[in-house]
Amino acid sequence: KKYHEIKKLFGLLNIRYIYYNSDPKVYDSTFEGYPYSTMRTYLPKSQNEYKEFIANLSTKKIYQAGFYQLYEIDNKYSLPHFYAPNALSLYQNRKSDLNNLNVSFFENNNLHNLGYMTDTDCKKIFLNNECKKQISLPKQPKIIYEKINPNKYIVHIKGADKKFVLIFSETFHTNWNMYLATNKPNSLLATFLPQKNLASKHFMINGYANAWLIQPSDVNNKNDYTVIVEMTDQRIFYLSLLISFITAIFFIVGTIFFLFRR
């Protein structure tokens, strides 16, 4: 019943809604046994108790059709799509020990904008002497971002005079890359121009999201600058589209030329 911590965990994972099926048949009488019975020891014992559980986790019911209900979680627990944490909490990456991963969250969850990374990733990204139980990052820059499309974001960073971690709350993928932007980062040409890639300090955060460690030396010691965060697989699509367009133009021109010769 640590409702406050659970809601902060939802915010960390970008969970905004709870779907609830209140049908007694799915929980009270015909609930599956092993291995789900173990998890049930941590959850409400019946549908009646579940109603209290849901009420403490949500702010209001926004939809209902029969047994099916949708609840909204308090927006104050949500984190921005891009944010800079003021501390990183480390945990051991033992996937077989789920309880240890949960304890690491609930013990250190005293800060709203906290990031969680494995001790293994910490040793790859930070200096070994920095990889203690918690890494403090007290100076946070101002971050404003624009969503160009689902595969490209423009992020404006202001007042970054020290190193910081930028978290992007989207599923981790090695092809999410960050580039120091040109004067016109929104242009299609900027997508193909050579740019400084900051991918060397890219790592997984919060168990699912993307993060980059950015140091002043990475951005030419600037305090205010803009970066592009882009799924580089999309460039293959753009290139293929360009080739298809050029091929279609040649085909049309060739057809017209052939018809006029006839």
Side-chain angles (χ1 to χ4, degrees), residues 3-4 9 24 51 63 66 78 105 107 145 152 181 249 251:
Y3 298 114
H4 178 64
L9 179 57
K51 292 175 183 177
Y63 176 79
S78 299
F105 174 83
E107 282 185 349
Y145 71 92
K152 185 176 181 179
I249 292 296
F251 177 78

Side-chain angles (χ1 to χ4, degrees), residues 25-175:
K25 293 180 181 178
V26 303
Y27 196 74
D28 290 341
S29 57
T30 58
F31 191 79
E32 292 286 343
Y34 178 83
Y36 308 106
S37 55
T38 302
M39 191 64 191
R40 185 164 179 170
T41 61
Y42 298 93
L43 296 172
K45 294 182 174 59
S46 66
Q47 287 285 32
N48 283 332
E49 289 188 17
Y50 238 114
K51 292 175 183 177
E52 178 189 354
F53 185 67
I54 297 294
N56 280 285
L57 290 179
S58 60
T59 54
K60 61 180 179 179
K61 184 193 297 182
I62 58 175
Y63 176 79
Q64 180 168 358
F67 291 118
Y68 307 115
Q69 301 159 44
L70 195 63
Y71 292 84
E72 189 173 33
I73 300 171
D74 193 342
N75 190 44
K76 73 178 183 180
Y77 291 94
S78 299
L79 290 167
H81 213 45
F82 286 90
Y83 71 97
N86 49 24
L88 296 177
S89 182
L90 307 187
Y91 64 90
Q92 294 181 340
N93 190 24
R94 295 184 298 195
K95 295 182 179 179
S96 59
D97 187 4
L98 295 178
N99 186 60
N100 179 63
L101 303 185
N102 292 333
V103 169
S104 69
F105 174 83
F106 285 106
E107 282 185 349
N108 302 299
N109 196 5
N110 57 340
L111 298 171
H112 182 51
N113 59 337
L114 191 64
Y116 292 84
M117 70 183 303
T118 67
D119 52 355
T120 305
D121 284 338
C122 183
K123 292 173 184 177
K124 295 177 183 177
I125 304 299
F126 292 87
L127 300 175
N128 283 341
N129 61 355
E130 292 182 282
C131 293
K132 301 175 183 178
K133 192 172 184 180
Q134 194 170 94
I135 300 174
S136 179
L137 298 164
K139 185 65 184 295
Q140 305 307 312
K142 183 178 180 180
I143 297 170
I144 303 171
Y145 71 92
E146 307 169 51
K147 182 179 180 180
I148 307 304
N149 56 53
N151 301 292
K152 185 176 181 179
Y153 295 81
I154 307 297
V155 186
H156 306 283
I157 298 167
K158 299 181 183 296
D161 57 349
K162 295 182 179 179
K163 71 178 181 182
F164 71 99
V165 170
L166 180 64
I167 293 180
F168 173 40
S169 297
E170 196 68 52
T171 304
F172 180 84
H173 197 288
T174 54
N175 285 338

